Amino acid sequence: MKTLKDIELTGRRVLVRFDFNVPLNESGQITNAKRLTAALPTITRILNAGGRLVIMSHLGRPNGKPSNSLTLRPVLKWLSEKINRSISFSKEITGPKAVQASKALKNGEVLVLENIRFDSREETGDVSFAKELSELGDVYINDAFGTAHREHASTSIIARYFKGCCAFGDVMFKEIDNVNKVLSSENGPKIAIVGGAKVSSKIIILKSLIDSVDELIICGGMAFTFIKALGGQIGDSICEADKIDIANSILEAAEGKGVKIHLPTDVLAAKDFSSSAQTKYCDIYEIPEGWQGLDAGKETIEYFSGVIESAKTLLWNGPLGVFELEPFSHGTRIIGEKIAKETKRGLFSLVGGGDSVAAVEQFKLSQDMSYVSTGGGAMLEFLEGKSLPGIQAILSNN
Ligand code: AMP
């Protein structure tokens, strides 16, 4: 993997694609700067090496048209304060003025281009747009893991104009390296916890993980389709009746490959989907009609905690219950805390590809995990074993 340290940066215009798709409030202030903070190592390395940094990113979904509410100016302001230097801005994304602005940069200076999705050619992966963008840099770095699964002009197509002089940024390197730690055959026993609402959105990841982990915990709303497949009474719990065959085939495939599957044994069930609903603990195979399982039960939490203790490498994708709604956050929080505790004892823990990232943030556990992914959809596709265009483009142009 060619990274920043393998490329000459001094005195060169370093064109970097970041994923600065950050949430903004109504007054245009950034409400979560996680993706910006994650980019700082790449930015600092380039500037310290005397590179001339040209930043491109998208923000939101402007549908190929300029939009005042989706300008990258708030990102520029945040970065400028963080790195303590003034940053120039180009309203033009490509063309003579943008090229001129990039050529005016001196060593250690920064230029931010306007939201790249203001040009409709970005998302269509337009080759001429990619060529125009390529005129803004002498080397190209992709550090936008969150959009690595998109074949867009600035994330993938552009790399062909930087043969031998393109590389991965720090975020990309860490994401790829950490997933490889989970998918490789070293450092077992390996355990994956896959939860969340629906089996349908996790079929490929479950099938793919069976090839690389030793044990698989299936939990959250999607567990009910499996319990139903095994003959359980799940009351009104969320279930995809048309996926029961798939659930059975996943159980069979796991058995065939010697992968142990762990399912919840009890649940906290509620009369309604509301925080004021009447609740009770039930056996997961015997949930009465009119009740729905919305969180893992006490016995399940203890059982899963024991499984986690035996792991050396762990992937966590998807919550154990409706963690956004009290009193159903308990299972997700306790399991998060358990993973955090085991991480302190030497467990390698990767959180990514689902709402478990939001959960660890909610419970303030992000710092206690070995790695929390910055890319939701991209991480999910990566774990599914798909080749991501943003990664492939760098690999095939070196
Ligand atoms: P995902 O994006 O696939 O990780 O799914 C996350 C969503 O699954 C969250 O919004 C949770 O509220 C939801 N979820 C987890 N467990 C349950 C459950 N038992 N019933 C309904 N929804 C659930």
Side-chain angles (χ1 to χ4, degrees), residues 195-198 201-202 219-224 237-238 267-268 273 292-296 317-325 332 353-356 380:
K198 290 184 167 176
S201 61
K202 303 281 168 94
C219 53
M222 58 186 274
F224 296 108
S237 307
I238 187 172
V267 286
L268 178 63
F273 193 95
Q292 50 188 307
L294 293 181
D295 195 10
N317 170 290
L320 282 87
V322 183
F323 71 99
E324 312 93 326
L325 187 69
T332 306
D355 257 7
S356 36
L380 193 62

